[in-house]
Amino acid sequence: MINRKVLDLLKDEQMPKNKSEFDRLLKSVRKSGANIPKFSFDSMILTQEQAIEALSAIKIDPHSSFYFLYSKIQNFPVRRYDELHNLDQIVELKNDGYWDDEYPGFSNSFLELSSIEGEGSFFYEIKTDHVYDVEFSLMDDFVSGKIKPTWKSFNEFIEWYYEV
């Protein structure tokens, strides 16, 4: 179960449940004077319904804390030193297969949770719910299983990330 303090921190980041709720919110924001350009609703994950479809497509366990948070949260406020990707970014990176050229099948096992712009990144292991903090110089060791998970669950990771 997700820590109540984490849920409280993220309460303002929840996605609308469906397209009609999203449309009502968008209309309200535009009515208040915000200039929001036109966009294709289906080109982004904007609702909980879309998030659930995306999580199912990438085979995330619906009972996991990863699924629970990413099916509800649009953006994760930055804490610690790395910004966590939103679900759009995670799905795009998985489908792009960025790591698969060097490590075939990588995207079937791991999801990149943070930017690769620094010295390393956080990776989520789909089958185990483990999270790793990996320096890029250690990617070969990571992929070959020589590195132990930094956190035994996504829940432990998110508690660490938000310092609760």
Side-chain angles (χ1 to χ4, degrees), residues 44-104:
M44 296 178 273
I45 299 169
L46 299 168
T47 69
Q48 292 179 27
E49 282 181 350
Q50 290 172 306
I52 288 168
E53 286 178 29
L55 290 163
S56 296
I58 61 174
K59 298 179 176 34
I60 301 299
D61 178 359
H63 300 99
S64 70
S65 52
F66 183 92
Y67 184 98
F68 180 83
L69 281 181
Y70 273 97
S71 68
K72 295 175 179 7
I73 304 301
Q74 178 66 35
N75 293 301
F76 289 84
V78 178
R79 294 289 195 276
R80 299 284 180 168
Y81 48 89
D82 279 332
E83 180 177 356
L84 297 181
H85 291 317
N86 65 32
L87 188 55
D88 270 318
Q89 294 165 310
I90 289 171
V91 170
E92 182 179 335
L93 287 165
K94 179 177 175 32
N95 292 340
D96 184 38
Y98 177 82
W99 294 102
D100 287 339
D101 289 341
E102 193 167 347
Y103 305 106

Side-chain angles (χ1 to χ4, degrees), residues 12 25 34 39 41 45 48 96 98 101 104 119 126 141 155:
D12 293 333
L25 289 169
F39 59 91
F41 177 81
I45 299 169
Q48 292 179 27
D96 184 38
Y98 177 82
D101 289 341
E119 299 287 320
I126 296 168
D141 289 341
N155 192 46

Side-chain angles (χ1 to χ4, degrees), residues 58 60 85 90 92-114 116 120-127 130-136 138-145 147:
I58 61 174
I60 301 299
H85 291 317
I90 289 171
E92 182 179 335
L93 287 165
K94 179 177 175 32
N95 292 340
D96 184 38
Y98 177 82
W99 294 102
D100 287 339
D101 289 341
E102 193 167 347
Y103 305 106
F106 183 89
S107 63
N108 293 326
S109 300
F110 298 98
L111 302 175
E112 187 179 312
L113 299 180
S114 61
I116 61 170
S121 188
F122 298 123
F123 293 94
Y124 175 76
E125 189 170 10
I126 296 168
K127 291 179 183 158
H130 294 158
V131 179
Y132 299 80
D133 184 2
V134 182
E135 294 179 30
F136 294 128
L138 300 174
M139 282 301 288
D140 289 338
D141 289 341
F142 170 55
V143 172
S144 66
I147 295 179

Side-chain angles (χ1 to χ4, degrees), residues 17-31:
K17 289 183 176 41
N18 52 42
K19 186 173 187 324
S20 62
E21 188 176 309
F22 175 82
D23 287 341
R24 279 193 305 275
L25 289 169
L26 183 61
K27 185 177 180 181
S28 172
V29 169
R30 284 186 170 146
K31 194 174 184 178

